[in-house]
Amino acid sequence: QVQLVESGGGLVQAGGSLRLSCAAHGTINNINAVAWYRQAKDEQRELVAGLDSSGNTKYADSVKGRFTISRDLTKNTGYLLMNNLEPEDTAVYYCNAEIDSPVRPRWYWGQGTQVTVSS
């Protein structure tokens, strides 16, 4: 059984920074790919950033130049570094990772972490 555990959310003033972590626990061979989504109140969940198995990244236009997605395969952890945060970034952030396990690769979701940016 694989579980993704998120951490790093919180309350920050506009212009501040946070780093979200997404740690994979269980019997894991590798994190093939990782993505971060967010869902603001009364809004649909949207893709914020993605990192594929080749190391290619993509970002939502609203976060380009401010957010950076990465992963540390030695720690089985994905990250989202968020700089110059804006009140519009307030949302619950979810990680979504493709985990290579002894059974088969599969996508998993984290439980979500709240990010609140005050003006």
Side-chain angles (χ1 to χ4, degrees):
Q1 184 71 15
V2 174
Q3 186 179 17
L4 298 181
V5 178
E6 299 183 38
S7 60
L11 174 64
V12 64
Q13 288 188 329
S17 299
L18 286 173
R19 190 180 75 159
L20 305 183
S21 299
C22 175
H25 298 274
T27 304
I28 299 162
N29 292 336
N30 197 29
I31 298 179
N32 292 338
V34 63
W36 289 89
Y37 290 76
R38 67 185 181 189
Q39 187 167 17
K41 187 178 180 182
D42 299 327
E43 300 287 337
Q44 289 189 331
R45 190 173 297 189
E46 63 173 350
L47 176 66
V48 175
L51 173 65
D52 68 17
S53 58
S54 297
N56 300 308
T57 59
K58 61 179 178 180
Y59 296 93
D61 288 342
S62 59
V63 307
K64 281 181 182 177
R66 300 188 297 123
F67 289 12
T68 303
I69 188 171
S70 63
R71 63 184 170 184
D72 185 336
L73 299 180
T74 65
K75 297 181 179 180
N76 289 329
T77 300
Y79 301 98
L80 183 68
L81 175 61
M82 306 184 293
N83 293 323
N84 195 20
L85 283 160
E86 303 169 353
E88 293 73 22
D89 295 318
T90 295
V92 178
Y93 284 71
Y94 298 89
C95 71
N96 183 224
E98 185 187 36
I99 304 298
D100 187 14
S101 71
V103 178
R104 57 181 173 86
R106 178 185 161 184
W107 286 89
Y108 294 86
W109 285 95
Q111 82 283 5
T113 185
Q114 177 70 46
V115 171
T116 303
V117 184
S118 62
S119 57

